[in-house]
Amino acid sequence: MSWTERQRAMLREMGLVTWQPGSRAADPAPAAQPVPAVATPRPVAGPPARVMQQAVAPAPPAAAAVLDIATDERTRHIATLDWPALRDAVAGCQACALCQSRKQTVFGVGDRQARWMIVGEAPGEQEDLSGEPFVGAAGQLLDSMLRALSLTRRDDGPEPAAQRVYIANTLKCRPPRNRNPQPSELAACEPFLMRQLALLQPRLIVAMGRFAVQALLRSSDPVGKLRGKVHQYQGVPLVVTYHPAYLLRSLADKARAWDDLCLAASVAERP
Ligand code: SF4
């Protein structure tokens, strides 16, 4: 991929040095890795009820059966919702304890015709206040990286669908004091993300951070092990990368994250 002067300026702004053919300028980023078609298809109908059972293990068999039925019914209902009904369902959701401490839910942002879907982890304090995912310093870094690829989260600009992204989190409510999400919370919230994906039908998914990866790939492997290749989620190519909040603390991995986005861009450009 060759960069325009504007893109190179953006990369410099992010602290990344671009390598040009014939140039001896050092590029801290390792060469973009080839794109093996590593396909690990996930079952089409993810079993959130089963995950929730694992998290609430001591339940006696009869109670577990009731929980299964209730969760299945809820999941089936969410799978029928259109965008406005889905947003309303998230706004009024009380399916896990995070509803008690949130200021507001964080549904998602971007164009509903977007080809890219970026999936993050959970809202932080800024997101809880604003109701939008990826705001604050991490959001600014993400926006800079997107701009370098001529992508935008805006849904009211002149850009074509190919340049638009939709951004959502795995969890729609902020965990108190930004603690890690619990398995039962991820399972309870999963049907909302599944429905967003089904409605959006993106050409590409970028999973940012450990909990987004765990939710979508059902893998406990670290991000560093899963990045650099193309996975599949229900037939949609999925690229794993670091969360921007982590990149703010780990400059060395910024260049790897840029490689990941370049890999994602090459996938999105495929016919
Ligand atoms: S985190 Fe998800 S499941 Fe839990 S209350 Fe919020 S919207 Fe509902």
Side-chain angles (χ1 to χ4, degrees):
M1 181 178 291
S2 61
W3 309 114
T4 64
E5 182 50 42
R6 180 174 170 276
Q7 288 171 328
R8 283 197 291 275
M10 189 61 65
L11 295 177
R12 284 195 295 274
E13 193 177 296
M14 291 162 51
L16 297 172
V17 180
T18 54
W19 177 84
Q20 293 297 305
S23 163
R24 296 185 61 83
D27 183 351
Q33 301 180 29
V35 187
V38 177
T40 311
R42 176 180 175 277
V44 170
R50 180 162 53 79
V51 176
M52 181 173 279
Q53 267 187 292
Q54 289 168 354
V56 193
V66 171
L67 182 62
D68 271 348
I69 293 167
T71 307
D72 283 351
E73 279 184 5
R74 173 175 173 266
T75 301
R76 277 199 293 273
H77 171 66
I78 291 172
T80 66
L81 301 178
D82 60 13
W83 279 112
L86 185 63
R87 180 181 277 275
D88 288 348
V90 168
C93 180
Q94 299 184 351
C96 80
L98 296 183
C99 69
Q100 295 164 9
S101 52
R102 73 184 179 213
K103 290 205 166 33
Q104 59 185 310
T105 54
V106 180
F107 181 72
V109 69
D111 185 17
R112 293 170 184 174
Q113 309 295 322
R115 292 194 186 163
W116 290 56
M117 179 157 188
I118 293 179
V119 178
E121 298 187 322
E125 183 178 18
Q126 298 288 325
E127 287 83 2
D128 188 43
L129 289 170
S130 70
E132 183 169 331
F134 285 99
V135 296
Q140 287 168 14
L141 176 58
L142 175 62
D143 286 340
S144 294
M145 297 174 88
L146 293 177
R147 267 198 307 276
L149 289 170
S150 301
L151 298 172
T152 178
R153 68 164 80 187
R154 288 176 45 187
D155 61 0
D156 57 354
E159 299 85 359
Q163 290 175 234
R164 295 176 185 228
V165 302
Y166 188 87
I167 305 174
N169 278 323
T170 310
L171 272 187
K172 310 304 185 196
C173 301
R174 180 194 179 200
R177 298 175 300 283
N178 294 348
R179 65 157 168 77
N180 287 340
Q182 295 176 357
S184 61
E185 294 161 353
L186 290 167
C189 216
E190 185 179 30
F192 293 133
L193 179 64
M194 300 305 102
R195 188 58 185 156
Q196 285 176 306
L197 280 161
L199 288 168
L200 193 69
Q201 297 191 357
R203 182 175 288 194
L204 171 79
I205 301 168
V206 178
M208 293 188 157
R210 177 160 60 107
F211 295 107
V213 170
Q214 283 179 3
L216 293 171
L217 292 184
R218 295 286 193 267
S219 171
S220 56
D221 285 345
V223 170
K225 190 172 175 186
L226 294 168
R227 58 166 295 277
K229 47 191 156 187
V230 181
H231 305 265
Q232 296 280 324
Y233 176 81
Q234 297 191 8
V236 181
L238 183 151
V239 172
V240 169
T241 192
Y242 298 102
H243 194 281
Y246 165 78
L247 295 176
L248 291 173
R249 306 188 301 271
S250 176
L251 294 182
D253 285 325
K254 238 181 185 182
R256 295 190 181 94
W258 177 245
D259 280 348
D260 296 334
L261 288 187
C262 291
L263 170 60
S266 72
V267 173
E269 287 169 6
R270 290 178 189 169

